[in-house]
Amino acid sequence: MSRLLLLVLLLGHLLATPPAHAHALSPALLQIEALSTTHYQILWRHDLRSRLPPPGWPTDCEARTPIQTQQGSALDLSFELHCERSLAGRRLEFTGLAQARTTVVMTYQPPDGSRQQALISAGQSSHVLPDERPRRPIWQQYLQLGAEHIAQGADHLLLVLGLFLLARGSRQLLVAISAFTLGHSLSLILATWGRLSTPSAGVEFAIALTLLYLAWEMTRQGQPARLRWPLMSAFGLIHGLGFAGALGQIRLPEEQLLSALLSFNLGIEAGQLGFVLLLALLFGLLRRLQSETAQRLSQQICIYLIGSLACFWLIERGLAGLSGLV
């Protein structure tokens, strides 16, 4: 029994990241356009909530007073940068990425007019601007970003956990997960292309409601779970809007949009599939090691985990939404 509780509590610890960061990772955007070999136009866009300072430039560079604009929660700083020599091959410093749990999407246009793209992850504190085209394609970087995003999306992982425990057999689980994936892929596409726009506070509140509903379904002992594909697709649409904020927030340039969207979504699906396989291994091990009573206890613990966090998020996000209206 102690091993069972240890494994379930460990799972809860991994999922129960700080609630304010349940769907974190709205990337910042850095655009560097060379007007000459030493003169640059800079755009720094970030979420106001992250409070990220602009990059630290080389000591021989001087930034002019920025022009500041705001759209929603996105803050733009636009300014010119003058350096004594070219930025190519030189290091930029980034502070606060780890604390904000975010990534920087960087576009660098050198004097020859080519365009180079890179992602600076939350674990990096600096980045060297390339003096040649990077070897790693940008789609691979967005694939990694999608996988990292779902790994930090506790509310999304909790819903996948609920679906895994509710499904009666692999066929029902496959149908539920596929419908959920279809829904959030569709909303990600529509929201990123500007065809669908919903207030962030409302989306986060609705995500918490889906978790509460799932926890309620798990309490209906002896009754078949209602995991019909239209409902799961609707849940996917709601969760996809939460993911869409990560890319739509920074308003990527059109030439980056398709590759970013597809790769980011594939990264989400890969992370989701990996989590399902991890659950299958974990609960398969529990079934071998523990009695039927212990297995029921593990499910009860998961119900309380999902339900209590859903209630917490409902209160937190509801209050945040009300404060935004005042």
Side-chain angles (χ1 to χ4, degrees), residues 11-84:
L11 178 62
H13 174 71
L14 291 173
L15 288 172
T17 54
H21 298 291
H23 254 120
L25 204 69
S26 294
L29 175 66
L30 174 62
Q31 291 183 343
I32 304 174
E33 180 184 357
L35 305 177
S36 69
T37 55
T38 59
H39 183 197
Y40 300 88
Q41 181 66 44
I42 309 296
L43 171 64
W44 173 248
R45 177 180 297 149
H46 67 286
D47 191 321
L48 278 171
R49 295 166 293 185
S50 67
R51 299 180 180 179
L52 283 177
W57 308 100
T59 55
D60 64 308
C61 295
E62 180 181 356
R64 291 187 174 176
T65 303
I67 299 173
Q68 180 174 304
T69 57
Q70 182 178 343
Q71 288 191 19
S73 63
L75 179 66
D76 285 5
L77 296 178
S78 180
F79 56 92
E80 292 185 2
L81 184 74
H82 294 268
C83 303
E84 295 181 4

Side-chain angles (χ1 to χ4, degrees), residues 118-314:
L119 295 180
I120 295 94
S121 68
Q124 293 180 246
S125 59
S126 64
H127 178 77
V128 176
L129 285 176
D131 50 12
E132 59 183 16
R133 289 191 176 275
R135 297 179 181 179
R136 189 185 181 197
I138 188 65
W139 68 265
Q140 291 184 9
Q141 300 179 52
Y142 278 111
L143 188 72
Q144 178 182 341
L145 180 63
E148 290 176 352
H149 189 55
I150 191 173
Q152 297 181 19
D155 42 14
H156 187 94
L157 293 179
L158 282 171
L159 191 134
V160 174
L161 170 63
L163 293 180
F164 179 87
L165 294 174
L166 277 172
R168 297 295 180 261
S170 57
R171 183 178 181 277
Q172 190 180 47
L173 177 63
L174 178 62
V175 171
I177 292 293
S178 298
F180 182 73
T181 295
L182 177 64
H184 79 64
S185 298
L186 178 60
S187 63
L188 184 63
I189 292 170
L190 293 176
T192 306
W193 254 289
R195 301 291 187 269
L196 189 62
S197 178
T198 307
S200 175
V203 171
E204 297 300 324
F205 188 82
I207 287 173
L209 280 177
T210 65
L211 290 173
L212 190 60
Y213 173 85
L214 209 60
W216 174 75
E217 278 282 6
M218 295 172 72
T219 65
R220 301 170 66 245
Q221 297 181 1
Q223 301 182 49
R226 291 175 288 188
L227 295 181
R228 298 184 179 92
W229 71 264
L231 181 62
M232 292 303 101
S233 294
F235 282 10
L237 279 167
I238 295 170
H239 280 250
L241 287 172
F243 282 125
L247 288 181
Q249 167 77 29
I250 59 174
R251 304 190 299 278
L252 289 171
E254 289 294 329
E255 66 270 15
Q256 299 181 29
L257 201 54
L258 183 59
S259 63
L261 178 63
L262 292 177
S263 301
F264 183 74
N265 199 40
L266 284 175
I268 289 174
E269 303 315 325
Q272 181 175 279
L273 178 60
F275 185 61
V276 170
L277 293 176
L278 176 63
L279 290 175
L281 290 173
L282 175 61
F283 283 93
L285 178 64
L286 289 179
R287 280 192 293 270
R288 290 191 176 189
L289 295 178
Q290 305 296 335
S291 65
E292 185 176 342
T293 302
Q295 293 174 35
R296 286 198 299 269
L297 176 61
S298 68
Q299 181 146 339
Q300 289 296 319
I301 293 175
C302 289
I303 292 173
Y304 285 118
L305 174 67
I306 295 173
S308 60
L309 282 175
C311 289
F312 186 92
W313 284 326
L314 279 173

